[in-house]
Amino acid sequence: MLKVYNTLSRKKEEFKPLVGNTVRMYSCGPTVYNYAHIGNLRTYIFMDILRRTLRYDGYKIKGVMNITDVGHLLSDRDDGEDKMATAAKREQKSPYEIADYYAGVFYTDIDKLNISRPEIIAKATDHINDMIEYVKALVDKGYGYETSDGIYFDISKFKEYGKLSRLNLDEQIAGARVEVNSEKRHPADFALWKKAEPEHIMQWESPWGMGYPGWHIECSTMSKKYLGDVFDIHTGGVDHIPVHHENEIAQSEALEDKKTVDYWMHGEFMLVNNGKMSKSLGNTYRISQLEEMGYTALDFRYFCLNAHYRKKLNFTFDGLDAAKKSYERLLGVLYQHKTSPNSTDEEKLARYKKEFEDAINDDLNIPMALGVLWKMVREEKSKDIYKLALDMDKVFGLSLDKAKAVESDETESDIPDEVTALVNERAEAKKAKNYALADEIRAKISALGYAVTDTKDGVKITKA
Ligand code: AMP
Ligand code: ZN
């Protein structure tokens, strides 16, 4: 039985889909005005682990993720310029070119990270009319009002405003910026639709003149369109709790007159050197930058899986190095299992499997599940263990089928000093571009029964 932590109740709850065996799930996607950084990607790894666990447990999934390509202003609370417009100016391109480019890089990143793509990916700009209809319906029900610069949601009409973040209205006001827009009835009222100045680069016709949608309305609109008025799970990062998701709840529940999402699940933040990760501080990294430094996307995935999704994760290169080493060692050890002639008895296998399932079903305790995997590969050596590891990998998504003969701590100690010395000599020779000498040394190494291979992650020594 899967239990998940529901932000709304602040409790772990038993998970049960609303209808049959299919889980309807919505995940807030990226705003494609810039590269996704590894913090953003941690949140999508969490989404992926959830999807994989649900599938492992036998559920079908209808998952929707949005791509925000309009309406997300520099502050989540509707202040500042549209992020897409800022990027368009910065790069001298149209917002559509910007969105295509960064969405493309995002897909490449998530593919490399083995993040399975949600069944439906919905772009905000493809749903402008749906959003206009949604705003109209809210206005008709008395929840929206017009000011000179847009249509706003009247939070005083929605009595449960704040129930997700459990902030009271005073705290909400404290979070809202000092008011520029005095026409708003309440400082925390938020834009459903913004009227556009003539020079604004993205604008559409609407009953309120030319304009563009607010950021929050896209998620209420697209989740309803693809998943229905009520669905099972909504995910996002913790930063979405106090504003974006609070506003989504207000919009959706005001329209439907009922609770629209059963489980709200949020991934904790990734920090850098225990502080905030942000582009302005220059301490963000992208997957391609990690690759240039010699790490793979899966090294980073492994790093993330070592922390529970509801715990802050501090990114350091020492931590990533350790994860890389441990991941490579895991692949090396699994290769020994793959090629082992031994078998393991059913009962033992069933015990490991149960421990693994208990871990993942306990609110996705992946660090614990990885612990089970490590324990099992240490206690036993057999082909059956390898097969069970592949089964577990349906959840981990670490490409454990790529287990290969790599240097691992287990074999490292077997490598004689002589061989290590030759490997170092060969590296020196290569550095000096003396390739003939390097080849000669390589031959000496193989004569000693070892093979040295150059991989993009460095030199590997294996027993030939
Ligand atoms: P954005 O593209 O800014 O809308 O963010 C995409 C996703 O990344 C959202 O779900 C955010 O909650 C999440 N996010 C932003 N910063 C971080 C971080 N440092 N660690 C983890 N998730 C983050
Ligand atoms: Zn959203």
Side-chain angles (χ1 to χ4, degrees):
M1 166 64 79
L2 173 63
K3 281 190 168 177
V4 295
Y5 182 86
N6 190 344
T7 307
L8 196 59
S9 66
R10 302 284 197 275
K11 283 194 188 88
K12 275 189 208 172
E13 296 175 6
E14 281 184 6
F15 176 75
K16 197 173 174 307
L18 286 157
V19 185
N21 197 40
T22 300
V23 179
R24 286 169 294 163
M25 172 169 161
Y26 186 91
S27 301
C28 286
T31 306
V32 284
Y33 71 111
N34 212 328
Y35 296 104
H37 59 60
I38 53 176
N40 302 133
L41 292 166
R42 180 191 186 198
T43 292
Y44 300 107
I45 292 175
F46 148 61
M47 169 196 83
D48 181 59
I49 289 288
L50 173 59
R51 287 168 51 80
R52 285 169 177 271
T53 301
L54 289 165
R55 261 194 255 121
Y56 184 95
D57 285 343
Y59 295 112
K60 292 205 174 70
I61 303 173
K62 184 168 184 191
V64 179
M65 181 173 69
N66 63 306
I67 296 281
T68 300
D69 56 354
V70 66
H72 193 173
L73 306 190
L74 290 177
S75 130
D76 287 1
R77 292 185 188 271
D78 313 321
D79 298 314
E81 205 177 25
D82 189 311
K83 291 185 178 187
M84 296 304 300
T86 315
K89 266 186 218 153
R90 177 184 72 218
E91 298 182 24
Q92 300 283 303
K93 287 186 186 142
S94 82
Y96 296 98
E97 287 170 321
I98 296 283
D100 276 354
Y101 174 72
Y102 290 111
V105 178
F106 178 74
Y107 296 139
T108 307
D109 284 348
I110 64 171
D111 288 351
K112 281 183 184 165
L113 286 163
N114 281 351
I115 294 172
S116 75
R117 288 194 201 182
E119 289 63 33
I120 296 169
I121 294 187
K123 256 188 357 194
T125 51
D126 289 339
H127 297 80
I128 300 293
N129 286 333
D130 298 313
M131 290 191 240
I132 291 173
E133 290 306 316
Y134 205 112
V135 176
K136 264 189 352 208
L138 284 174
V139 172
D140 289 348
K141 279 191 90 168
Y143 287 101
Y145 62 92
E146 186 164 357
T147 71
S148 57
D149 81 338
I151 307 296
Y152 285 83
F153 187 95
D154 186 344
I155 62 161
S156 69
K157 297 259 165 66
F158 182 68
K159 296 293 168 240
E160 292 182 289
Y161 192 82
K163 68 176 170 180
L164 185 67
S165 54
R166 302 194 175 177
L167 295 173
N168 60 35
L169 276 183
D170 289 340
E171 288 165 318
Q172 291 282 345
I173 297 170
R177 222 176 59 133
V178 181
E179 262 331 284
V180 189
N181 185 342
S182 59
E183 291 174 69
K184 276 191 346 189
R185 294 178 189 166
H186 187 284
D189 286 356
F190 57 91
L192 297 166
W193 184 265
K194 288 276 238 181
K195 298 178 183 173
E197 300 293 332
E199 66 276 10
H200 193 86
I201 42 180
M202 297 179 100
Q203 46 181 296
W204 292 265
E205 246 171 72
S206 80
W208 317 282
M210 296 300 287
Y212 56 97
W215 173 40
H216 321 293
I217 199 71
E218 73 177 79
C219 291
S220 288
T221 303
M222 299 198 289
S223 60
K224 179 181 165 80
K225 175 163 179 154
Y226 295 107
L227 300 174
D229 37 349
V230 186
F231 58 96
D232 298 296
I233 305 179
H234 196 311
T235 71
V238 287
D239 57 325
H240 285 162
I241 299 171
V243 182
H244 183 51
H245 288 168
E246 208 69 87
N247 293 352
E248 263 189 70
I249 290 177
Q251 294 165 154
S252 303
E253 297 194 6
L255 190 72
E256 312 296 348
D257 293 314
K258 61 186 171 206
K259 191 171 106 178
T260 57
V261 175
D262 247 11
Y263 305 87
W264 283 91
M265 294 180 70
H266 294 94
E268 248 300 349
F269 258 36
M270 174 168 276
L271 309 174
V272 177
N273 298 325
N274 284 312
K276 194 174 152 49
M277 174 183 298
S278 93
K279 300 213 173 77
S280 55
L281 294 172
N283 62 2
T284 65
Y285 298 96
R286 318 199 298 260
I287 289 298
S288 62
Q289 291 171 322
L290 296 187
E291 285 173 335
E292 281 161 20
M293 296 177 193
Y295 304 97
T296 66
L298 293 185
D299 292 337
F300 175 69
R301 182 175 174 105
Y302 188 90
F303 173 77
C304 290
L305 298 195
N306 276 291
H308 189 262
Y309 77 92
R310 283 196 292 117
K311 293 253 159 67
K312 289 188 175 66
L313 173 57
N314 188 34
F315 177 83
T316 62
F317 281 99
D318 282 347
L320 186 59
D321 283 336
K324 179 182 178 62
K325 233 179 150 181
S326 159
Y327 176 48
E328 283 173 357
R329 209 189 316 145
L330 179 62
L331 290 176
V333 173
L334 280 171
Y335 183 77
Q336 297 169 7
H337 286 74
K338 184 181 178 179
T339 49
S340 159
N342 305 337
S343 56
T344 298
D345 68 76
E346 293 288 332
E347 215 175 287
K348 217 172 207 173
L349 291 171
R351 249 193 342 258
Y352 291 132
K353 195 171 160 71
K354 173 153 191 324
E355 275 182 55
F356 168 79
E357 289 172 359
D358 286 348
I360 58 168
N361 287 330
D362 180 15
D363 191 30
L364 319 177
N365 195 337
I366 301 300
M368 174 93 86
L370 275 176
V372 176
L373 173 65
W374 270 110
K375 184 175 84 168
M376 137 181 137
V377 298
R378 284 201 170 115
E379 285 178 356
E380 287 280 308
K381 185 163 289 174
S382 78
K383 252 198 194 72
D384 298 321
I385 293 289
Y386 175 70
K387 281 190 204 133
L388 184 53
L390 291 197
D391 196 44
M392 295 177 177
D393 198 41
K394 288 178 190 155
V395 174
F396 296 133
L398 287 169
S399 296
L400 296 184
D401 58 335
K402 303 265 165 38
K404 52 186 187 292
V406 289
E407 177 190 314
S408 66
D409 273 2
E410 273 77 2
T411 54
E412 217 164 26
S413 54
D414 300 340
I415 295 170
D417 292 344
E418 204 184 344
V419 175
T420 316
L422 284 170
V423 169
N424 292 337
E425 260 180 62
R426 177 172 169 269
E428 288 302 323
K430 280 186 68 181
K431 232 196 216 152
K433 296 202 167 32
N434 190 345
Y435 297 113
L437 180 62
D439 284 345
E440 210 177 293
I441 299 171
R442 178 204 285 277
K444 277 190 197 160
I445 296 170
S446 30
L448 290 168
Y450 289 84
V452 55
T453 33
D454 299 306
T455 73
K456 82 176 191 323
D457 300 324
V459 174
K460 300 269 183 254
I461 317 166
T462 43
K463 262 193 176 146

